[in-house]
Structures are given as C-alpha cells and as structure tokens.
Amino acid sequence: MTPHRIALLFNANKVYDRQVIAGIGHYLNSTRVEWDLFMEEDFRSRMRDIQQFRGDGVIADFDDPEAPDALRDLHIPVVAVGGSYHDPASYPIGIPYIATDNARLVRLAYDHLIEQGLARFAFYGIPPHPGSRWAQEREHAFRAIVDDEAVEAVVYDGASTSAGGWGEAVEELVAWLAALPKPIGIIAVTDARARQLLQACVIGEFAVPEQIAIVGIDNDPMAQLLTRIPLTSVIQGAEEMGRTAAHLLHQMLRGVDCSGTRVLVPPVGINVQVSSRYQPVRSPHVMRASHYIRQYGCLGIKTEQVADYVGVSRTVLEEHFKRELKQTVHQVILKHKLDTACDLIANSDTPLADIALRCGFTSLQYMYTVFRREYDCTPRQYLDLHRKPMAT
Amino acid sequence: MPVSNATAWGQLPDGRPLHRWTLRNARGEQVDISDLGATLLSWQTPDRFGRLGDVVLGHADAQQYIASNAYMGAVVGRWANRIRGGRFRLDGIDYKVDRNDGGNHLHGGHDGFHLQRWEVEPEADGLVLRLVSPEGDGGFPGEVHVQLRVRLEDDGTLDLRYEATSDAPTPLSLTAHPYFNLNDRRPDIRDHVIRIDADEFLAIDAGAIPVGRQHVSGTAFDFREPAPIGSRLHWPDPQLRLVGGFDHCYLPRGPAGGVVRTVAVVTEPSSGRRLTIDTDRPGLQFYSGQKLTGQAGRQGDTYGPFAGFALEAQAFPDQVNGPEADGAILRPGNVWRQHTRYRVDTP
C-alpha cells in the first residue's frame, strides 16, 4: 500500500508548533502508520500554494487566519489545530478542531498566583491582530476570571514589538509597571511577553517576585535562556494536541466521520521558577538586596556590593537580613549560588567545572568543599542522583 | 506515636460500633482508615506550597459509606471487578455468586468485604486489618482469612501488603478502591495528566466484561506517554462510548506475580502533586469516575461526574472464566499475597 501523502501546515519556528509536530511524529511511531509527510523545507507553511497539493490529508495551524479560506475547496480530510474560543461560533464548521484550552491555561496561571498569596493581578497581552486571536482569547479568559471573582485587576496590551519603536515601548511598559499597585501578580500572554516584563522590571528596579510576580505561557527554553531571573511558565499540552490531530486524521483516512469532533487539550504542567515565588517581605532593604542577589549572585559579589546597591551600611543590611530571613547576606548569596548549581546539575548537561565557574565559585575544588559542607555529598554524587536523562 | 488510638465512628446496622484510626508520617501527612471495609477515609498530603489537602474522595459518615454503591476508599473482595453472569466453574463444580451489576457479579456481591467490619490491630508504624470471610460468602466456596498490613512511610508512600488463605479452592482478587483527586480545590479530575505503563488493555462489551486483549497503539487508551485524561475522553473511540469514559483493565508491562513495578503515574498541574502506583498485580483497572454523579461528599456536598478517578491493582476482570483462570484461584495450603504501593509527592 502506498503511504498517504499528508501535508503539515505549521510555522514551526515556535516551540509550541514544534511540539505539535513532535506529537504527530510520536503517534506515527507508536502506530507504525506510514505517512509521506509534506512540509516546506524551512518548516513554514505557505497556505496559498496548498491548492496545488495532490495528497490525501492535511493537518493545519488554524491560528493562521488564511487557513480556513485556503483549505475550503480542498476535497481531502483536514484536521485543524489552534486555540480554543469562548464563543462556539468562532470555530470552523465541519472540520475536526484540536485546541489548546486557552481558558485553562490562564486559569492555571491565575490559580498559581492566588496560591502564592497574591490578591492583585494584571494581564500583559499583545495588541489585537488577526494572526493571534489566541492572545485575545487568553485576555478574555483573564477578564472572565477576575470579573467572576470580583478581584482587582488590570489588562495592558502594550505595543507590538518592532525594532524601531522598541525604546519607547519599553518606557511605556516601565511606566505601566510603575503605576501598578504592588505587590501584584502578572500573567503574560506568552513567555516572549514575560521576558519583556522581566526586562522592564530590571530597568524600573521592581523586585521580582516580591513586588511583581510573573507567570508566562509556553515554557519556552529560549525565554529561559535570555532572562536572568528564571521564569515560571505554564506548559501547554502541545504534544498531546499533535497526537490527537494525527489520530483524527488517521481515523478520517479510514472513512470515519470526525467532522463534529472538537478536542480541547488542557495544560500539562507549570514550571515553577523564581519569578513567581512570591513571599511577603517587609523590609524594603531586604527586598532590594534579594533582587540584586538574584541577578548578580553568581558573578562573585560580596556583602559589601549588595549593601552599596541598597544604599545602606553593611551592618544595617545584616540586621535587616537577620530579622527577616534569619540569615546573613553571605549565606543568602551562597544559597543562591548553590541553588543555581543544583539546578544546572540536575537539568542541564553542563560539565561540573563550567557549572562551578558559572555559579561564581572560584574553583571546582571550592564548589566541592561547599557541597560537602552544606549537603554532605560531592557535586558528582549529587549529579548521579539528580541529573535527568536529556530529551532526545 | 505514628498511630493514634481508635476513635468512635458510627455503627453498623446491627449496632456493632465502628472506628477510625489515624496514621502520620514525619512530613505531617495523615491517613485515616476505618474498620468498616478497611476503608481509606482520608489522605492528607502537602501540595507544592506545603499546604495539606485530601487527595482521596470520601463520604461524610459511616451511614453514607454503608448506603453508597461507590466502594469509596474500601478494600473490595472476594472478587474485585466483574464475573460474567455471576457464574464460574472450578474443579468441575459450577458456582453461582451474587449478581449485583446488571446480571454480572461485581466487587464481592451484596455484602462484599467493603461492608464488613475488619478487626484492627495497631502496630508501631501502621495497622494490621483482618477479616474472616465465611464459606458461602457471596456464593464463594471456602472460608477465607485475609490480612492487610497498612503503613504510611515518610516519603509519602501508603504501603499495602495483603495475605490470604482458604480451606477450599476459591477465586480471590482483592483491591483497594480509593478515588483520587490530587487537587483538593477542584472537584474534577479531567485536567490530571496520566501515564500508564501498559502496551495492552482488555476491550470490553456493553456489560463491561472483557472480550479480548487490544494493543493501545493508535487508540485513546495509549497513555505510555503522559496525557490529560479529559481531552482523551473526546477521542472517537467505541470502547469509550460503551461506558462513558475509561473503565478498563490495563495489562501493565513487566512480570506479574511477586515483582513490584511502577504501573502508573498521575500528575496534577495546579497542586503540583504526583501519584505513583507500584504493584505486583497483573491487571490495573482505570476508572475515570464518570458515574460518581450524586455521591455524597465529605462536607455535605455532592460529587459530580469525574470528581475522582480510581486505579485498582487486581487480577483480570472475569479471569475465572478465561484461559488464565488457574492464576486467579487460591487453594488450601497456599498463601495468596499482594503488594501495592501508592505514593503521593510533589516532584
């Protein structure tokens, strides 16, 4: 039997699309279904060319506003993948639709901030655009939750990101953050937007998470890489969406009618990092110092530099630390270095010598000494216990 | 003391008093167990923020447990799951057992182990629960002596070791029947993400009796990679439509009988809790809780569909009428053993 020719129409430049495609791949591997997959060599879809496609089925990204029209007259099975809508009339008619459940994504982020003890919330979205209706759906979900629970909340869409207007956009974002009551928890519509928030917090000198706690959506490793403060992020069920889409197309190719099927996939997790670990701290000195340590703690800083940054004497700062955290400034810096080292040991494949350097230990030997003293084990033993096998 | 003394907890219809015991571990987790049906009444574990919450469903009082048909938290026997037509043949003799589920036998019949008062003996680090099931109980042959040792370990493991003997050959399959919901703030388990380490499950007929093994590949039943329960319920699969969700027995990988292996892992994104199930049983029934509608909750509330899910380590449903019937029979002189571990933690 000749394998079916299937077109995958995605713009696989984002982690989400790649995970959807990975899910399709998993399904094919697990079932030994042979599909001859058609994708553009740069993994970007070109909707207008699809009319020429002589194949058996299509799985397409329906967040692309051109998709419904481009695929309308194609008389082969089509499975749509996209964002969920609060209004059922927004879904395409007669096509099975696999959605990331936008309302559940926002709900998970919101519940997380509530659990952290926050009482004020904001949403940082993007300006409305036909290609990102999912962002408006997330914003709508946020408004629905805060209306329903009658809590204090604001929404800000900011400006579209463009190189030219970037300076101004950042200024406006910093001004928006400055005007917000604090402490506050902000849900960013994507990790890319969350990264901009973190950047603005650094510029505006707002302590994250003490003054502003941030949750993104996507769990994008790129955003993690580009932020100094590790970002909490909601993980979409994108692989499961891919598996589901492949299953439905598989059924349709066997003649099963799936035209009315709509599957909403909830988030599969939340990666909790520092950006949302809100703990009420009363002393503004401690808050400012913690913020500084989180940014520069791995660059070999000493108590003196922290005190300089805060603008008080070492003695005063030590007193505040003792009262609030029951620790010295040095201990907090060391803990930050150790936490960062442990995280790198467990979650990356970085060699120990590099980790020692990156975390501000003067030598690998010194990191060994500190590990033995604090954890009663060597970094090597810690690695053997905790390092996760890398995804392939 | 990890085990508290017995607390009075209602009574049986015949007036015999019932009790509950509390187990605690070093992390402050707490498990409540009753002598009625060896029932797991409550299991308090911390979420990712360290706040304790109940991870199992429960009724408000003993009367509700007796009146309910949900087997909530109980140990079920003599035969966990179904027997077709309530009939089987053993050593040339035909037996008829209670038919309490649309013409089939289910979970020990009208007065199964879940409604019996077990004898409870506290130990240093747990409880030992004992039950004698008389000859003819539910229609089954032989007098069966059952012992269940329950421990709550410091890593959040609830360790269950069963032993049973009989003075005549009898089918035997026991299982714990807790309904889990790892998010105590949301009475709906459809956002839970489940992994089941099984390549095959037993396809069923309309009466939920197995009709044959089926590979999970390409079906809604493939949880070898973790997936949310709720979205799978919308896959077009006739096996799901038969019973309105999942109520199927999986055949976990690995050697069954004597070897304990991990068979399923469930995570809940909001609370951060994770449930891991290890067992030496050949079968794992996954029930998504679609028929929990109307069951009384702990606080005067009422559960809806999908309020909890059950993962029951056991023999295969109707195994006594299949090619592997011998494996489900306990004979005099032998000791039947089962070891199952539920662990709840926050990775």
Side-chain angles (χ1 to χ4, degrees):
Chain A
M1 201 180 89
T2 36
H4 286 117
R5 295 197 67 206
I6 305 300
L8 303 184
L9 303 182
F10 288 88
N11 290 313
N13 53 355
K14 297 194 303 287
V15 61
Y16 161 84
D17 300 271
R18 285 176 176 263
Q19 284 169 351
V20 171
I21 292 167
I24 295 169
H26 285 167
Y27 183 84
L28 298 179
N29 289 337
S30 78
T31 54
R32 301 200 190 90
V33 171
E34 291 276 352
W35 283 355
D36 195 2
L37 293 179
F38 167 77
M39 295 174 82
E40 297 276 357
E41 54 272 18
D42 57 358
F43 300 126
R44 293 182 58 80
S45 72
R46 303 217 171 24
M47 285 294 176
R48 285 195 195 91
D49 300 342
I50 195 62
Q51 296 297 340
Q52 318 304 322
F53 178 60
R54 299 281 171 266
D56 304 292
V58 176
I59 300 176
D61 171 18
F62 267 57
D63 285 334
D64 183 333
E66 289 181 26
D69 281 343
L71 296 169
R72 184 161 296 141
D73 300 322
L74 211 61
H75 297 288
I76 53 175
V78 173
V79 175
V81 172
S84 68
Y85 295 100
H86 69 279
D87 178 2
S90 302
Y91 289 99
I93 296 161
I95 296 178
Y97 194 97
I98 316 302
T100 186
D101 192 334
N102 284 313
R104 302 295 311 154
L105 294 176
V106 174
R107 168 56 79 170
L108 182 56
Y110 175 82
D111 283 350
H112 177 72
L113 290 170
I114 285 261
E115 298 285 326
Q116 301 287 6
L118 287 153
R120 280 185 292 255
F121 307 92
F123 185 88
Y124 181 43
I126 48 177
H129 179 271
S132 50
R133 284 186 295 168
W134 48 269
Q136 268 58 62
E137 288 297 322
R138 288 177 194 174
E139 189 175 314
H140 179 273
F142 177 77
R143 289 184 195 276
I145 293 170
V146 295
D147 281 355
D148 191 42
E149 308 200 350
V151 296
E152 203 182 320
V154 275
V155 171
Y156 179 60
D157 283 341
S160 319
T161 311
S162 70
W166 183 229
E168 249 170 67
V170 171
E171 270 175 40
E172 281 171 22
L173 183 55
V174 173
W176 177 64
L177 291 174
L180 290 174
K182 298 181 191 63
I184 193 165
I186 306 183
I187 299 170
V189 69
T190 60
D191 280 358
R193 267 324 215 192
R195 196 187 67 78
Q196 294 171 2
L197 273 182
L198 283 167
Q199 225 174 350
C201 286
V202 170
I203 295 168
E205 300 198 341
F206 308 115
V208 177
E210 287 85 355
Q211 290 177 292
I212 298 179
I214 298 172
V215 180
I217 296 173
D218 270 345
N219 198 35
D220 185 346
M222 181 69 88
Q224 285 295 359
L225 207 63
L226 296 176
T227 53
R228 235 186 243 294
I229 297 170
L231 175 67
T232 295
S233 186
V234 173
I235 307 165
Q236 302 192 59
E239 281 198 18
E240 175 66 5
M241 293 170 67
R243 280 193 289 264
T244 308
H247 177 72
L248 290 186
L249 186 58
H250 188 194
Q251 297 297 307
M252 290 164 84
L253 293 169
R254 290 167 163 177
V256 179
D257 177 14
C258 296
S259 57
T261 304
R262 190 178 302 153
V263 182
L264 269 60
V265 179
V268 293
I270 179 165
N271 180 8
V272 179
Q273 295 290 338
V274 174
S275 77
S276 72
R277 269 190 212 129
Y278 168 72
Q279 278 162 345
V281 170
R282 266 163 303 163
S283 158
H285 297 330
V286 173
M287 197 186 287
R288 254 175 91 73
S290 306
H291 183 60
Y292 185 77
I293 292 169
R294 264 196 301 279
Q295 286 184 75
Y296 304 110
C298 288
L299 299 180
I301 55 163
K302 301 231 175 337
T303 306
E304 210 152 295
Q305 282 147 291
V306 184
D308 281 352
Y309 174 80
V310 177
V312 296
S313 73
R314 279 184 60 174
T315 330
V316 169
L317 190 62
E318 289 292 6
E319 270 172 21
H320 279 262
F321 265 62
K322 212 170 186 179
R323 210 167 39 228
E324 282 260 317
L325 306 174
K326 315 267 182 284
Q327 281 179 312
T328 65
V329 179
H330 175 74
Q331 282 169 331
V332 173
I333 295 173
L334 188 66
K335 178 155 190 322
H336 174 80
K337 287 154 76 165
L338 280 169
D339 285 350
T340 312
C342 288
D343 182 53
L344 283 171
I345 291 175
N347 300 313
S348 76
D349 51 3
T350 314
L352 287 174
D354 294 353
I355 291 176
L357 217 61
R358 262 216 237 172
C359 297
F361 294 99
T362 43
S363 68
L364 182 57
Q365 286 73 15
Y366 181 54
M367 185 164 86
Y368 265 74
T369 310
V370 177
F371 259 75
R372 273 206 209 90
R373 192 183 65 213
E374 300 290 325
Y375 297 142
D376 203 24
C377 76
T378 68
R380 170 58 57 186
Q381 286 163 337
Y382 187 90
L383 184 150
D384 290 340
L385 268 178
H386 296 281
R387 181 160 284 183
K388 296 169 185 122
M390 285 292 116
T392 49
Chain B
M1 261 309 268
V3 185
S4 76
N5 288 325
T7 311
W9 187 67
Q11 57 184 40
L12 284 170
D14 64 13
R16 281 182 294 159
L18 295 167
H19 297 87
R20 64 192 292 165
W21 285 259
T22 301
L23 309 182
R24 291 189 177 83
N25 70 3
R27 297 201 305 199
E29 295 172 27
Q30 184 174 318
V31 161
D32 282 23
I33 291 170
S34 168
D35 49 3
L36 173 67
T39 300
L40 175 61
L41 300 175
S42 159
W43 185 358
Q44 307 258 343
T45 80
D47 63 11
R48 68 155 62 87
F49 309 101
R51 274 187 288 252
L52 289 178
D54 222 311
V55 296
V56 295
L57 305 190
H59 299 305
D61 57 36
Q63 262 41 58
Q64 289 184 352
Y65 277 90
I66 292 164
S68 149
N69 58 354
Y71 306 91
M72 201 167 275
V75 169
V76 298
R78 227 183 254 201
W79 185 261
N81 217 306
R82 294 176 177 84
I83 296 174
R84 183 191 292 275
R87 290 160 185 272
F88 60 91
R89 173 170 261 239
L90 173 55
D91 297 342
I93 302 167
D94 290 315
Y95 290 93
K96 285 187 194 171
V97 291
D98 287 357
R99 298 198 292 183
N100 56 329
D101 184 59
N104 295 322
H105 175 86
L106 177 65
H107 289 339
H110 302 300
D111 296 301
F113 289 8
H114 63 291
L115 293 173
Q116 304 304 314
R117 192 178 79 154
W118 296 51
E119 293 301 323
V120 178
E121 183 189 328
E123 290 193 317
D125 57 350
L127 297 175
V128 179
L129 299 101
R130 295 190 182 88
L131 180 71
V132 178
S133 165
E135 160 86 38
D137 191 4
F140 289 96
E143 181 179 274
V144 173
H145 289 245
V146 179
Q147 174 180 294
L148 168 61
R149 184 168 257 125
V150 183
R151 286 191 317 164
L152 176 63
E153 297 172 3
D154 285 341
D155 69 351
T157 300
L158 191 64
D159 185 86
L160 307 174
R161 286 173 191 268
Y162 305 73
E163 279 182 18
T165 55
S166 176
D167 64 2
T170 178
L172 188 82
S173 175
L174 308 182
T175 191
H177 204 292
Y179 291 93
F180 288 95
N181 180 338
L182 301 179
N183 183 355
D184 51 305
R185 284 147 200 259
R186 184 164 193 255
D188 187 327
I189 52 83
R190 281 176 284 191
D191 282 3
H192 285 53
V193 177
I194 188 168
R195 190 190 94 201
I196 302 176
D197 297 339
D199 300 316
E200 293 180 298
F201 73 103
L202 298 175
I204 54 173
D205 64 16
I209 299 285
V211 292
R213 293 182 175 202
Q214 189 179 327
H215 207 279
V216 297
S217 285
T219 75
F221 291 80
D222 189 350
F223 287 111
R224 292 173 298 180
E225 295 286 332
I229 295 171
S231 53
R232 283 292 168 91
L233 294 168
H234 294 280
W235 283 34
D237 193 313
Q239 278 290 313
L240 288 177
R241 281 202 295 275
L242 274 178
V243 284
F246 293 93
D247 194 1
H248 295 76
C249 186
Y250 280 82
L251 285 70
R253 291 175 194 150
V259 182
V260 176
R261 76 282 195 219
T262 297
V263 293
V265 178
V266 185
T267 57
E268 200 285 309
S270 187
S271 67
R273 289 193 186 96
R274 170 176 70 181
L275 166 70
T276 307
I277 297 167
D278 295 2
T279 185
D280 59 5
R281 292 297 91 192
L284 182 73
Q285 186 83 10
F286 171 38
Y287 172 45
S288 49
Q290 54 271 28
K291 290 173 193 151
L292 280 168
T293 317
Q295 291 291 337
R298 262 190 210 94
Q299 321 283 347
D301 51 330
T302 303
Y303 291 123
F306 306 104
F309 67 90
L311 284 166
E312 310 153 35
Q314 53 184 236
F316 304 136
D318 198 36
Q319 188 173 338
V320 285
N321 287 311
E324 288 152 298
D326 279 353
I329 307 301
L330 169 62
R331 293 182 182 277
N334 291 343
V335 179
W336 179 91
R337 288 192 176 86
Q338 170 180 350
H339 189 191
T340 297
R341 292 163 63 79
Y342 292 104
R343 184 174 74 247
V344 180
D345 59 3
T346 52

